[in-house]
């Protein structure tokens, strides 16, 4: 195994890495930049786009450009012009929630959840944006939405509430996008950190970034820890599989202080590439709208 610092720009809150198979490019965000970034597999040919509000995640569109989950709701982003246009507000009139992590399901719908800006109260919710650009609420009572990802067959949605130190699993209706039967998939009680971004590999195992501990935790489909990978910074936030063979794990991190303390590693906020794990990921779908 090898860990390489791919980009040392020190994102305030690096998040949402996404490898696009069609372009062979990596996308990620700085939530409090706020900005979207893109580069090739080796970190070169970097591009960036500013957005007007804190950003939680993005989905690439089949027709070009992206859907971005900003503080107040879903927006479109035109990569050619940089124009950002609102689709819908998700929790209008509520001051504390902001949209956070999101992922496209196997059918091309975009799911994103919100979080409490203060990360203390369950004011967040989970939303689904359909290709017709309609918005549907799937769940609520969430402190901090993170790590949505899907089993290889698309029938299980994994979703973390970082504030509750837990990853849930839902039965996911691939035909309608409805969820049911929420249950605890994995608890982080007693672990060093909290569940943050996540993805599912080609074997159906769930990889979760343990924020504030600098570890990648791989769970088998029953929620049992299979493997732990230590990283050089504690402020890791999210991950995705990418590269030409989908066998590189790209990991984001944050440089912003946590509870008033600065991170002790100078690489905090960097973008990392982990190779040699012997595991491949799955292609991430594009949003069909």
């Amino acid at each position: 195994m090898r860990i390489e610092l791919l980009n040392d720009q020190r994102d305030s809150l690096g998040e949402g890495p996404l490898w696009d198979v069609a372009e062979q490019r990596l996308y990620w965000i700085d939530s409090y930049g706020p900005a979207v970034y893109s580069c090739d597999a080796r970190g070169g040919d970097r591009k960036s786009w500013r957005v007007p509000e804190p950003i939680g995640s993005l989905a690439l569109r089949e027709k070009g450009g992206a859907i971005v989950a900003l503080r107040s709701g879903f927006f479109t982003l035109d990569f050619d012009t940089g124009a950002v246009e609102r689709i819908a507000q998700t929790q209008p009139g509520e001051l504390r929630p902001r949209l956070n992590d999101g992922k496209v399901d196997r059918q091309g719908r975009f799911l994103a959840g919100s979080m409490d800006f203060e990360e203390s109260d369950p004011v967040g919710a989970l939303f689904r944006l359909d290709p017709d650009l309609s918005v549907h609420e799937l769940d609520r009572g969430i402190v901090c939405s993170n790590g949505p990802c899907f089993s290889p067959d698309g029938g299980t949605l994994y979703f973390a509430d970082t504030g509750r130190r837990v990853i849930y699993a839902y039965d996911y209706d691939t035909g309608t996008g409805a969820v049911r039967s929420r249950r605890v998939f994995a608890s982080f009680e007693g672990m060093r950190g909290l569940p943050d971004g996540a993805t599912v590999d080609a074997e159906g195992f769930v990889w979760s970034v343990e924020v504030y501990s600098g570890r990648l935790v791989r769970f088998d489909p029953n929620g049992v820890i299979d493997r732990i990978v230590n990283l050089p910074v504690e402020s890791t936030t999210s991950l995705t599989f990418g590269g030409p063979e989908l066998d590189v794990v790209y990991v984001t991190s944050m440089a912003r202080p946590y509870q008033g303390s600065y991170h002790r590693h100078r690489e905090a906020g960097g973008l990392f590439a982990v190779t040699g794990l012997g595991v491949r990921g799955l292609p991430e779908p594009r949003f069909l709208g």
Side-chain angles (χ1 to χ4, degrees), residues 197-209:
T199 193
V200 175
D201 65 28
E203 299 173 23
F205 286 54
V206 178
W207 290 76
S208 175
V209 173

Side-chain angles (χ1 to χ4, degrees), residues 49-117:
W49 299 266
R50 301 287 295 182
V51 291
E53 299 178 9
I55 177 173
S57 52
L58 84 155
L60 297 179
R61 304 181 77 177
E62 194 64 44
K63 63 176 64 175
I67 302 293
V68 288
L70 302 188
R71 173 176 181 170
S72 62
F74 293 107
F75 292 72
T76 61
L77 169 60
D78 187 316
F79 287 144
D80 294 328
T81 66
V84 178
E85 297 184 3
R86 176 181 287 151
I87 298 170
Q89 291 181 293
T90 44
Q91 292 174 269
E94 298 182 47
L95 299 180
R96 286 176 58 175
R98 74 162 177 90
L99 278 185
N100 200 42
D101 207 356
K103 197 73 61 72
V104 176
D105 71 12
R106 308 289 180 211
Q107 291 70 42
R109 298 169 291 232
F110 185 37
L111 274 68
S114 59
M115 60 173 283
D116 180 14
F117 243 123

Side-chain angles (χ1 to χ4, degrees), residues 209-230:
V209 173
E210 191 182 21
V211 68
Y212 308 128
S213 80
R215 304 194 300 181
L216 306 181
V217 185
R218 188 190 195 219
F219 296 92
D220 73 15
N222 295 313
V224 177
I225 293 177
D226 170 76
R227 184 177 183 182
I228 293 178
V229 177
N230 291 294

Side-chain angles (χ1 to χ4, degrees), residues 165-178:
R165 307 179 70 101
V166 67
I167 300 175
Y168 296 113
Y170 299 78
D171 292 337
Y172 190 75
D173 189 320
T174 58
T176 66

Side-chain angles (χ1 to χ4, degrees), residues 32-60:
Y32 292 134
V36 174
Y37 297 101
S38 175
C39 68
D40 62 25
R42 299 295 304 152
D45 189 26
R46 197 182 125 203
K47 301 177 182 179
S48 64
W49 299 266
R50 301 287 295 182
V51 291
E53 299 178 9
I55 177 173
S57 52
L58 84 155
L60 297 179

Side-chain angles (χ1 to χ4, degrees), residues 217-248:
V217 185
R218 188 190 195 219
F219 296 92
D220 73 15
N222 295 313
V224 177
I225 293 177
D226 170 76
R227 184 177 183 182
I228 293 178
V229 177
N230 291 294
L231 297 170
V233 298
E234 295 173 345
S235 61
T236 47
T237 55
S238 192
L239 82 165
T240 192
F241 283 91
E245 304 299 324
L246 292 176
D247 58 354
V248 180

